[in-house]
Amino acid sequence: MTVQSVAVVSVPVSDQDRAKAFYVDKLGLKLVREDDSIPGLRWIQVAPDGGGTALTLVDWFEQMPPGSVQGLVLRTDDLDADYKTFSANGVPFDGPPEQQPWATEAVLHDPDGNMIVLQQA
């Protein structure tokens, strides 16, 4: 057996509704699944429109406090346009896109302070 892909990455948040609104309404990810069939656990999963690795917005991992994710990379094909759109929608960036040796990147933060790198290769 061989690992084929990364299916889900957990992103710790303090308020799942606020996080869902941010990732769906501000970043444009799609709501893939929302399920509260297990008592005390609400599963909210979002993903890019084209599929790929999904994010689960979690509030139940004691060892993963909200805001503890640093360096989650989301790829885009038009960083300048996304930076302008997201900034206009109130997404907080550390600064404008910067060219790095490996790609052009801009760093943003979700409402809990999780650091996300928006990257155009």
Side-chain angles (χ1 to χ4, degrees):
M1 177 183 278
T2 303
V3 174
Q4 297 176 342
S5 65
V6 175
V8 177
V9 172
S10 295
V11 177
V13 301
S14 61
D15 181 321
Q16 288 180 303
D17 288 319
R18 180 180 69 176
K20 179 176 78 169
F22 176 82
Y23 285 91
V24 172
D25 299 338
K26 293 190 183 273
L27 296 186
L29 299 180
K30 301 295 178 193
L31 181 63
V32 175
R33 183 173 174 206
E34 186 167 2
D35 182 359
D36 62 358
S37 61
I38 298 173
L41 189 141
R42 182 171 168 214
W43 186 272
I44 298 177
Q45 186 172 332
V46 298
D49 193 24
T53 303
L55 304 177
T56 301
L57 309 175
V58 301
D59 64 357
W60 58 82
F61 290 128
E62 188 174 310
Q63 297 82 5
M64 289 178 66
S68 62
V69 167
Q70 303 296 304
L72 176 67
V73 178
L74 301 180
R75 188 151 293 156
T76 179
D77 61 357
D78 193 343
L79 179 57
D80 288 329
D82 287 340
Y83 173 77
K84 289 175 187 170
T85 300
F86 295 167
S87 292
N89 285 336
V91 173
F93 282 88
D94 286 353
E98 292 185 11
Q99 182 65 50
Q100 304 296 340
W102 53 88
T104 305
E105 298 180 338
V107 176
L108 64 97
H109 300 270
D110 77 3
D112 285 294
N114 291 300
M115 195 241 328
I116 300 165
V117 178
L118 194 58
Q119 181 185 82
Q120 182 175 350

